[in-house]
Amino acid sequence: MSERLRIFLTVNGAQAELEVEPRTLLLEALRDHLGLRGTRTGCETTTCGACTVLLDGRSVKSCTVLVAQARDRTVTTIEALAGETDLHPVQESFRNCHALQCGFCTPGMVMAAVSALEEGRVCDEESARRALKGNLCRCTGYHNIVAALLATADAQKRPS
């Protein structure tokens, strides 16, 4: 029997305690141990970005992060973005700009977009495309996804 680790972390604002094998990936912990299925399993090599989550506010590919590396840290998944009655501004822009088709890449794209906006890395089309570079979409050709990211950035610049 292999050694197990007890891991404490904050996931979507709630404390979580997991007992896992040392080789358990953050993606596996979120999906299989915590039942958070919004984070997608894609390539499992960081190529596609479907597994993107925020770790202490910065986007990471959860398919290559060990859950032990997230010990005592904060993880945010797509499930935490929307309120009970309203969408996160990035989700609203994705909807308004028709920035999704099959929806497989959408959670990772949204999380990468949220991180880029919070870090102030989006100011024009080139920077928006650069911010999403590590996330693949096989349906839309990125035009509407980039438009959604730019629409959110523009809305954040306007005074409330």
Side-chain angles (χ1 to χ4, degrees):
M1 184 169 158
S2 67
E3 174 188 344
R4 299 200 45 97
L5 299 175
R6 182 164 294 199
I7 306 290
F8 295 90
L9 63 159
T10 302
V11 179
N12 297 338
Q15 289 295 115
E17 178 182 348
L18 302 170
E19 192 170 309
V20 296
E21 292 183 17
R23 64 187 174 143
T24 302
L25 297 171
L26 179 56
L27 174 63
E28 294 172 295
L30 294 171
R31 291 182 57 84
D32 301 337
H33 296 272
L34 298 174
L36 297 169
R37 303 293 182 157
T39 304
R40 305 281 198 249
T41 303
C43 66
E44 299 183 74
T45 63
T46 74
T47 302
C48 75
C51 67
T52 302
V53 299
L54 303 183
L55 182 59
D56 293 335
R58 298 198 55 121
S59 64
V60 298
K61 310 283 180 63
S62 64
C63 71
T64 57
V65 174
L66 295 172
V67 72
Q69 293 173 286
R71 175 181 276 151
D72 299 324
R73 296 175 75 185
T74 300
V75 178
T76 306
T77 70
I78 192 74
E79 288 90 347
L81 289 188
E84 287 196 28
T85 59
D86 56 339
L87 295 174
H88 183 278
V90 172
Q91 292 171 309
E92 187 70 38
S93 288
F94 268 61
R95 184 177 76 175
N96 292 340
C97 295
H98 308 286
L100 52 99
Q101 285 186 19
C102 79
F104 188 81
C105 73
T106 304
M109 285 285 188
V110 167
M111 298 309 289
V114 167
S115 176
L117 289 163
E118 288 178 359
E119 295 168 20
R121 293 188 285 127
V122 179
C123 57
D124 57 18
E125 183 176 344
E126 183 180 334
S127 62
R129 288 182 182 278
R130 194 170 36 250
L132 298 173
K133 186 177 179 183
N135 294 70
L136 298 177
C137 174
R138 291 173 170 89
C139 299
T140 68
Y142 297 94
H143 177 75
N144 292 351
I145 295 169
V146 171
L149 183 49
L150 290 172
T152 308
D154 288 344
Q156 288 179 345
K157 291 177 192 172
R158 284 186 241 127
S160 310

